[in-house]
Amino acid sequence: MEYSTLGRTGLRVSRLSLGAMTFGAGSGIWGSIAGLNNDQAARLVAMAVERGVNLIDTADAYSQGRSEEVVGHVVKALGLDEDRILVATKVRLRTGRGENEVGLGRSHIMRSVETSLKRLGRDHIDLFQLHDRDALVPLDETLRVLDDLVTQGKVRHIGVCNFSAGDIERAVGITSHSDRAHVVSNQVHYSLTSRDIEHELMPVAATNRIGLLVWSPLAGGYLSGKYSQNGEAAGRRAKLDFPPIDTVRAEPILAVLREVADELGATPAQVAFAWLLAREQITSVIIGARTCEQLAANLDAQNFALTSEQCARLDKVSEPLAPFPYWMQRFHDRDRVLG
């Protein structure tokens, strides 16, 4: 297993980490995504740790908190301390029906941390992440609460999820001229079918030394190849179209993915992971799995190295459409070259 430094923390995390969204049996959308019990989850965690994974990612909202409970139970049962496994969780999404059981205000964050710590059975959270922005709460207030939690020792490092480049810049601006804890990571959706972060998020993260953690690297299982435009397959994507995919653009990507997989003697999923791991700016790619067979195959992706020609083919077929003003900049760049 290879390791990367998380932002500017000095904390080393595995390039492949384990997602716990499938842990626990919840209701609503979690009925389609989750469902693993303690024993099933323990087998996955044990395999991941044995293969060098040292970060597990969950959230207070996953399966109405049951994911955190399962993570806590498994980590204790396997005797894993923070030298062997780091625990990341999140706050922002609704955790109850009450008016204040949601969001990034001081009250909800403080209560959520205490609840998460109890579920996880630990005295601190290694990486505490804002699950998304909250338009009702000033970012300054939210960051001040997080700094309090770091000072109290309940949180080691703070990160965010799904923040825009502008959100990151604002967060950096608030904390850069003070001794407050700073944001060290941004969890983003990035895959061959969704390369939007390359326009702004990647450059901003690089400038500010923000680590990038990737969620849904297989686009909800689509890049495994088991779903096709005209075919049917049982699984999460058959019930929940998330993350959304433009299949007209995605089918040619999957075709090249299969070609490269055949050349390497790999699976399409392994090639999709290998393409992400070839991006040096990516700190860690979060693997979600329901079976040990799935997890083992995905962890084996680190054993495949794409050639420059294979990377170029995948880059070309998956090249994202440029939003304004980037298409205008490309037009002017082309004019400069031709001139």
Side-chain angles (χ1 to χ4, degrees):
M1 178 64 68
E2 295 183 349
Y3 298 84
S4 297
T5 301
L6 181 63
R8 46 181 172 165
T9 66
L11 194 68
R12 300 285 285 173
V13 297
S14 49
R15 296 288 322 276
L16 292 172
S17 49
L18 182 63
M21 187 185 289
T22 56
F23 293 7
S27 58
I29 65 170
W30 309 114
S32 301
I33 296 173
L36 300 188
N37 61 31
N38 290 340
D39 291 339
Q40 293 169 318
R43 287 193 286 271
L44 294 181
V45 174
M47 174 182 288
V49 172
E50 179 66 25
R51 296 284 296 273
V53 171
N54 75 342
L55 175 66
I56 186 168
D57 178 76
T58 183
D60 60 356
Y62 291 170
S63 291
Q64 290 81 38
R66 295 187 181 96
S67 175
E68 287 185 331
E69 291 176 353
V70 173
V71 168
H73 175 87
V74 169
V75 167
K76 181 179 180 180
L78 295 176
L80 301 173
D81 60 20
E82 64 179 306
D83 289 331
R84 300 189 65 193
I85 195 75
L86 302 168
V87 177
T89 192
K90 313 178 191 74
V91 61
R92 159 65 176 88
L93 305 187
R94 181 166 289 282
T95 56
R97 295 184 177 183
E99 291 295 324
N100 294 307
E101 292 182 280
V102 65
L104 296 179
R106 174 173 288 272
S107 176
H108 180 62
I109 291 177
M110 297 295 280
R111 284 185 289 108
S112 178
V113 166
E114 296 298 338
T115 303
S116 291
L117 288 173
K118 183 177 180 180
R119 290 174 181 149
L120 295 169
R122 286 195 165 186
D123 63 1
H124 71 275
I125 295 164
D126 297 294
L127 179 64
F128 191 54
Q129 304 159 105
L130 307 179
H131 216 150
D132 208 338
R133 278 286 290 115
D134 183 351
L136 299 181
V137 181
L139 185 56
D140 178 75
E141 175 183 330
T142 298
L143 293 173
R144 188 175 296 278
V145 180
L146 297 182
D147 181 66
D148 290 343
L149 293 173
V150 172
T151 301
Q152 294 167 11
K154 296 177 180 179
V155 169
R156 292 284 193 263
H157 302 286
I158 60 175
V160 297
C161 300
N162 309 317
F163 268 39
S164 68
D167 291 332
I168 293 293
E169 292 280 22
R170 281 187 284 276
V172 170
I174 291 170
T175 60
S176 61
H177 300 297
S178 68
D179 58 358
R180 277 198 266 175
H182 53 264
V183 172
V184 304
S185 63
N186 188 13
Q187 196 173 132
V188 295
H189 176 45
Y190 186 43
S191 71
L192 279 164
T193 56
S194 180
R195 295 174 56 188
D196 310 292
I197 71 168
E198 295 176 9
H199 296 301
E200 291 186 348
L201 279 166
M202 268 190 167
V204 167
T207 298
N208 295 287
R209 297 174 63 190
I210 302 290
L212 293 176
L213 309 177
V214 175
W215 61 265
S216 199
L218 297 182
Y222 178 86
L223 292 175
S224 69
K226 68 180 180 180
Y227 302 98
S228 67
Q229 198 167 15
N230 301 312
E232 295 183 1
R236 166 182 159 188
R237 179 160 286 281
K239 301 177 182 179
L240 182 66
D241 183 24
F242 185 84
I245 292 175
D246 179 353
T247 55
V248 174
R249 294 194 69 243
E251 284 295 308
I253 297 172
L254 191 54
V256 176
L257 197 62
R258 287 180 171 133
E259 291 175 5
V260 174
D262 288 340
E263 294 166 8
L264 294 174
T267 66
Q270 289 169 333
V271 174
F273 278 113
W275 180 84
L276 285 169
L277 292 173
R279 264 59 184 163
E280 292 184 3
Q281 197 176 332
I282 298 302
T283 304
S284 187
V285 180
I286 301 171
I287 295 176
R290 297 187 65 85
T291 67
C292 288
E293 291 74 20
Q294 286 179 336
L295 180 59
N298 291 338
L299 289 172
D300 283 342
Q302 62 186 316
N303 300 326
F304 294 96
L306 304 181
T307 67
S308 57
E309 186 274 338
Q310 289 168 336
C311 281
R313 282 157 56 194
L314 289 167
D315 288 347
K316 182 177 180 180
V317 73
S318 65
E319 184 176 11
L321 298 175
F324 179 82
Y326 298 102
W327 60 261
M328 179 63 78
Q329 293 170 0
R330 289 183 182 178
F331 179 80
H332 288 154
D333 288 342
R334 182 181 64 178
D335 181 63
R336 177 185 289 273
V337 172
L338 293 176

